Structure formats: C-alpha cells, structure tokens
Amino acid sequence: MRVIVVGAGIIGLSTAWYLRRFGAEVTIVDPAPAQGASHAAAGMIAPAAEVVWGQTPLYPLMRTSAQMYPEFAAEVASATGTDLGFTDAGTVVCAGDRADLQALRELREAQSRSGFATELITGSAARRIEPSLSPAVAGAVHIPGDHSIDPRHVSAGLLSALTAGSESLLIRQRVTELLGDGAATTGVTLGDGRLLEADQVVVCAGSAITEIAGVPPLPIREVWGDVLRLRAPAEATPLLTRTIRGLVNGRPVYLVPRPDGEIVLGASSREDGLSGTPAGAIHRLLSDGQRLVPGIVDAEITDITTRARPGSPDDLPMIGRIDPGCVVSTGYFRHGILLAPFGGRLGAELALGVASDWPPDGALESVSPHRFATDHTTAHLMRSNS
C-alpha cells in the first residue's frame, strides 16, 4: 500500500516508522524535516511528572507510550547505530518555596489517584541525590525510573532509517491541499504544483495542519515555547544526573541533563503568536532554573530555540480518520515526544486498517478528532463515510 505522511516531526516520522514495519510504501513530505516543535523538545519520557489536574483521559495514553519506549528506542538505535541519549535516571520534581511545596503535595495526590508511584521527600533528601540543587528547595517528589531521550537524535535516526532504502521517499516540499474524488482523499498537492497520489494520506503537520486546504476545520492552536541549551564548565560536569522539574512561584520549569553534559532548560508556554524569542521569557527561565540549580549561572548558553506546539482544547491529541483515504494525527501539545510511539503506531494502524486489540480501552474515543466536530466537520465526515 502506498501512504503519504505529511509532516516529518517526531509524530510523522514515528508514524512512517510503523507504516514501514507493516510493509507500506511510504512517502514523507515536509519542507524542513525535524525542524519544528520536535527540534525544541527536551525529551522527557515521564508520564507521572506530566500529570496535571483535569486531564484524566491523557494518563493511560502516556503510561502506554512510556511502556513502548524502550523497545521503540532500541529498534531505532539498532537500525541506525545512532545514540539516542536514552536514559532511565529518574525525575526529581522540586518546590521552590513552601507555597510551591503545598501545590506539589496536591499534585502528588493526583498522581497517586492516577496510579503513579511517587515519593515525597525533603529538600535535604533531594540534595543528597542531586547535590547541585539549591539549599532553598523546600521539598521534592522523587520519581525513580523515569526516562528521557534526545529528540534531535531520535529524529535524525528515524530520518536515516526511513530514507536508507527504496521503500521510503522524502520530499522537501510543503503540502498545500488534499486531493480527493469527492468522498475520499486520494493524494496531495505540493507547493511546487506537483500532484502525488496514494492509497492513504496521514496528516501529521502539527499546527500547520490548519494551512492545508481540504482538511476539515480542527481546533488547533499554537502554543509557543522557548528552550535554552546550556553547557556547564568541564570541572562542574555532570552538573545533574536526573531530570529536575519544579515549581518556582507557581511557574513550571525543567532542566534535563544529556549524557554528553548538555542541559536543556525550559519551557515557557505562551499563546501570544510571537514567533520570535521574548527576552522576558528567557530571563524567567534562567531565573527560575537558577532558583533550583544555582550552578547554571556559570554555564554557557549554546542554543536558544522557539517553536510552536500544536494544542487542542483539552490538550489531548487528535488521531483519527477524517475520510476513507485520510487520517489526521496532531494536537499533541507538549506531549509529542512522550506519545510518539503511541501516536505513531495508532496512526499507522488506522491508515492501514490493521486489526488489533490495541490501544487501551477508551483511547480511540479520547483522541478522536470527531469530539470537536463543528457543523462543517460533521458534514464532511458524513459525506466521506457514506
């Protein structure tokens, strides 16, 4: 079966990976592969630390995808010989002061109710396992066994594996429109005017999905984030051995160490439409990061990245069929890296009609793009399924 995957971020590449495993002939279309939101991501594979109030349907998806990650990462690394920076050192979620500690206690209760195992520890206990933490840290939640990965290495590995043979083709063009015969999508139109036909199209274009004619209206919003990459002086390396997340005056912040000594500091979350990097956002990240790990003040800033993440109204992804020839997979917000194996496999199975007893009960309904259907979308879906 011939399948076009629109978008070469972590979701599009993961979808193409699973499509290839199922034997499909894949064409990937993206003007700038792996340079969108995935390029900025820190790569935390930490479902417990991602728990927030009011997002219960998201938890089983995160748990399932985290369980898939070791096998997924091992297969990609084996196929390419690429070091993906995959680690399982765990996470420490810190409270900047006593008010933040109360919020952390309440969050831990939500984590426990959702079935995640965590441990509330004192600030001094947190400093024993991560000596670079500030003495001002009021307490922490320890989550052993959490994983992290380098998304840039994952994307590079997937691109290498997918384009190494003749089974896949990468076209560096923008998709402007879905082609159709009135009831079903049959291909895409490229920015240079070329037409590509396929048996199935999977649209994984992130927030750019709203710019593709023929895709029914989906309530995708751009949530901008700013991320810094730091390198501590050689004498202070490694500054951290675990992912540090925290609340500072109620604001979330994280520091993710890489095996090579790099530290990823993020991430702001704003919906102001500003594609540039605000000085205020960088100042807050550095200030909040320093409150938890004072040693970053001596680090060199090696990279500043600003990207838009595709958000949905309930912050769950939208994965589902919109007509007999097209599946969409978008709206992952800040969970795109964590949910890549889940979203990639589900998108591939939906496109190919693979029958299985997976995913978890209720998952298809919770991620269905139909849950936000407008009258226009409903009419489109009724025509496509008739």
Side-chain angles (χ1 to χ4, degrees):
M1 180 178 288
R2 296 173 303 155
V3 183
I4 294 172
V5 175
V6 182
I10 192 71
I11 299 302
L13 293 172
S14 299
T15 302
W17 171 265
Y18 281 100
L19 285 166
R20 279 279 302 276
R21 288 186 61 186
F22 290 128
E25 179 184 332
V26 181
T27 298
I28 306 165
V29 186
D30 193 308
Q35 294 302 304
S38 304
H39 186 69
M44 293 172 286
I45 316 300
E50 290 289 348
V51 168
V52 297
W53 292 276
Q55 292 188 350
T56 303
L58 186 59
Y59 306 157
L61 313 186
M62 296 193 298
R63 185 183 287 110
T64 298
S65 201
Q67 292 168 349
M68 297 170 67
Y69 240 105
E71 180 180 0
F72 172 73
E75 290 178 347
V76 174
S78 176
T80 63
T82 303
D83 179 3
L84 305 183
F86 192 57
T87 66
D88 62 354
T91 301
V92 178
V93 188
C94 301
D97 58 27
R98 300 200 67 82
D100 292 322
L101 180 59
Q102 180 56 37
L104 208 57
R105 288 193 178 107
E106 294 170 359
L107 182 58
R108 181 173 178 262
E109 292 176 2
Q111 292 168 336
S112 298
R113 288 194 299 270
S114 302
F116 293 104
T118 63
E119 178 188 10
L120 186 65
I121 60 176
T122 63
S124 57
R127 286 188 292 278
R128 281 195 292 271
I129 60 177
E130 282 295 340
S132 293
L133 287 173
S134 168
V137 167
V141 172
H142 184 211
I143 311 174
D146 266 358
H147 295 73
S148 66
I149 202 164
D150 189 331
R152 295 183 180 181
H153 288 189
V154 178
S155 297
L158 285 168
L159 275 170
S160 174
L162 289 165
T163 58
S166 60
E167 296 89 348
S168 298
L169 178 65
L170 173 64
I171 299 177
R172 295 175 182 268
Q173 282 285 329
R174 186 172 65 93
V175 169
T176 60
E177 185 177 7
L178 299 182
L179 296 174
D181 60 8
T185 297
T186 58
V188 299
T189 302
L190 304 183
D192 62 4
R194 281 182 290 167
L195 308 180
L196 298 181
E197 294 186 343
D199 300 303
Q200 291 286 316
V201 175
V202 186
V203 186
C204 310
S207 56
I209 196 171
T210 60
E211 301 170 8
I212 300 174
V215 177
L218 296 173
I220 293 293
R221 70 190 198 279
E222 291 185 330
V223 185
W224 292 88
D226 311 288
V227 179
L228 289 81
R229 281 167 171 77
L230 312 172
R231 188 165 296 280
E235 63 272 15
T237 301
L239 188 62
L240 297 170
T241 59
R242 297 165 178 79
T243 294
I244 302 300
R245 302 180 71 137
L247 291 174
V248 176
N249 296 329
R251 293 186 298 268
V253 65
Y254 61 69
L255 300 98
V256 182
R258 298 279 189 246
D260 66 358
E262 182 182 70
I263 295 174
V264 183
L265 170 63
S268 59
S269 184
R270 51 188 178 78
E271 300 185 42
D272 54 11
L274 181 63
S275 60
T277 305
I282 301 305
H283 173 75
R284 283 189 295 274
L285 285 175
L286 288 168
S287 177
D288 293 347
Q290 185 184 356
R291 281 276 298 274
L292 300 181
V293 183
I296 67 168
V297 73
D298 298 318
E300 174 190 1
I301 297 176
T302 60
D303 184 63
I304 299 176
T305 309
T306 296
R307 293 291 189 274
R309 297 159 289 190
S312 71
D314 57 6
D315 292 337
L316 270 74
M318 302 179 198
I319 314 169
R321 183 167 291 285
I322 60 170
D323 69 44
C326 186
V327 169
V328 297
S329 184
T330 186
Y332 288 79
F333 188 31
R334 66 175 184 271
H335 307 299
I337 306 303
L338 170 56
L339 293 178
F342 173 89
R345 178 177 168 181
L346 181 56
E349 289 189 351
L350 289 172
L352 300 180
V354 175
S356 71
D357 57 1
W358 182 92
D361 290 344
L364 286 173
E365 292 77 11
S366 66
V367 301
S368 170
H370 301 189
R371 70 190 190 273
F372 301 122
T374 63
D375 291 341
H376 182 190
T377 307
T378 302
H380 177 96
L381 293 168
M382 288 176 64
R383 287 196 302 271
S384 66
N385 290 319
S386 60

